[in-house]
């Protein structure tokens, strides 16, 4: 956790805007160094306190999540769905260490939601790391949905391909075989199929006819954000609390809803 925490605190320090922010920041670092039950109680209170800045809640949730404190779950899931990829990555790291059974259901809901595809990269990677029962079905469903010509979210599809290879479940063979026919996915799909014991020539016969996969002719290359501010159609900009106002973790029994 140490390297990730240092990256987080270095990034947050650049966001500080006032002497009061610096005092609160130093207080959080002190709680992290002490790592006491009383300190974790104070961190948990920060998650629900009114008008706390996003960076303070992010640090508190990261520390609690890495300590296995399930009170961090809701904040971390909201950050996993955030528009800023570095915050998504930080949340995914903590969620992978939280040990909460709700995590895989929430990640699967985010990965498979077609309105949240622009923000699905880190939920997909988290599912592969968790190796949960929901992981393979969610990655297959997401990959199959993205195997369309000129789809701009090829990095999400690539993460699905790599994750399915790492998970080693042969239910993924049809989707991986189809991915072989997409230029930006072909090498990774063939490698994943090889890990599953499927020969590349057999996979090639089953793939679709060439065609350009998403982004091959100029799809977005910076993260997964589609053109314009605010992500894909239907995704609102962040509200004052920092999380996208239109996002919901729904349909996966995660118990987490963005709307209260």
């Amino acid at each position: 956790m140490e390297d990730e925490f240092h990256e987080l605190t270095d990034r947050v320090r650049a966001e500080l805007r006032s002497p009061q922010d610096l005092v609160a920041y130093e207080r959080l670092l002190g709680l992290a160094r002490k790592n006491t039950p009383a300190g974790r109680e104070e961190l948990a209170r920060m998650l629900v306190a009114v008008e706390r800045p996003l960076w303070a809640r992010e640090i508190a949730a990261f520390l609690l999540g890495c300590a296995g404190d399930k009170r961090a779950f809701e904040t971390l899931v909201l950050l996993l769905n955030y528009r800023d990829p570095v915050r998504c990555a930080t949340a995914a790291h903590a969620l992978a260490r939280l040990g909460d059974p709700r995590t895989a259901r929430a990640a699967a809901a985010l990965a498979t939601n077609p309105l949240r595809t622009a923000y699905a990269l880190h939920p997909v990677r988290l599912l592969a790391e968790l190796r949960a029962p929901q992981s393979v079905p969610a990655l297959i469903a997401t990959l199959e949905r993205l195997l369309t010509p000129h789809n701009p979210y090829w990095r999400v599809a690539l993460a699905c391909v790599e994750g399915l290879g790492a998970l080693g479940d042969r239910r993924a063979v049809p989707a991986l075989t189809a991915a072989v026919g997409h230029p930006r996915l072909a090498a990774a799909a063939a490698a994943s199929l090889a890990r599953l014991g499927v020969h590349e020539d057999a996979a090639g016969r089953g793939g679709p006819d060439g065609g350009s996969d998403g982004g091959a002719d100029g799809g977005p290359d910076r993260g997964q954000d589609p053109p314009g501010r605010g992500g894909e159609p239907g995704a609102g900009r962040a509200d004052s609390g920092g999380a996208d106002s239109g996002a919901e973790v729904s349909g996966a029994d995660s118990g987490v809803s963005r709307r209260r």
Side-chain angles (χ1 to χ4, degrees):
M1 180 191 90
E2 192 167 327
D3 290 343
E4 289 78 10
F5 184 63
H6 286 158
E7 290 177 8
L8 169 59
T9 54
D10 287 346
R11 169 169 56 81
V12 164
R13 190 175 184 90
E15 299 180 25
L16 304 181
R17 296 290 180 266
S18 69
Q20 292 79 11
D21 284 350
L22 182 59
V23 170
Y25 172 81
E26 295 293 346
R27 174 66 178 167
L28 282 166
L29 296 189
L31 293 173
R33 285 190 290 269
K34 291 178 181 178
N35 191 27
T36 62
R40 287 192 288 276
E41 290 299 321
E42 185 171 344
L43 291 171
R45 288 194 294 272
M46 288 184 184
L47 298 181
V48 296
V50 177
E51 296 184 354
R52 285 285 183 178
L54 178 63
W55 58 261
R57 289 185 285 132
E58 182 183 10
I59 292 176
F62 180 86
L63 291 169
L64 290 170
C66 289
D69 191 318
K70 292 179 173 54
R71 289 175 292 185
F73 173 75
E74 292 193 5
T75 301
L76 289 173
V77 169
L78 295 180
L79 290 168
L80 182 66
N81 193 41
Y82 195 72
R83 69 177 185 272
D84 187 347
V86 294
R87 286 199 157 100
C88 298
T90 298
H93 179 86
L95 283 165
R97 286 146 187 82
L98 179 61
D100 192 311
R102 297 173 293 174
T103 298
R105 296 196 296 271
L110 294 173
T112 57
N113 185 344
L115 298 179
R116 308 305 301 166
T117 305
Y119 310 106
L121 180 62
H122 291 286
V124 163
R125 290 175 174 170
L126 177 59
L127 285 166
E129 185 175 357
L130 291 173
R131 307 183 75 88
Q134 297 88 347
S135 296
V136 170
L139 295 188
I140 290 173
T142 302
L143 176 59
E144 289 177 339
R145 176 166 50 82
L146 297 177
L147 293 180
T148 57
H150 310 294
N151 193 301
Y153 305 118
W154 63 269
R155 285 189 178 87
V156 176
L158 181 61
C160 291
V161 167
E162 294 170 343
L164 289 168
L167 291 169
D169 191 311
R170 290 186 65 86
R171 287 178 294 174
V173 169
L176 291 173
T177 299
V180 170
H182 293 257
R184 286 188 168 179
L185 307 178
S192 291
L193 285 165
R195 297 179 72 171
L196 296 174
V198 178
H199 295 298
E200 185 174 351
D201 56 348
R205 288 195 299 271
D209 292 335
S212 169
D213 73 295
D217 61 348
D221 273 347
R222 51 180 186 82
Q224 287 300 321
D225 290 339
R229 290 169 49 191
E232 73 294 336
R237 294 191 59 196
D239 62 16
S240 60
D244 288 320
S245 61
E248 279 195 43
V249 180
S250 60
D253 297 327
S254 65
V256 181
S257 174
R258 297 298 308 279
R259 297 192 179 96
R260 303 245 175 218

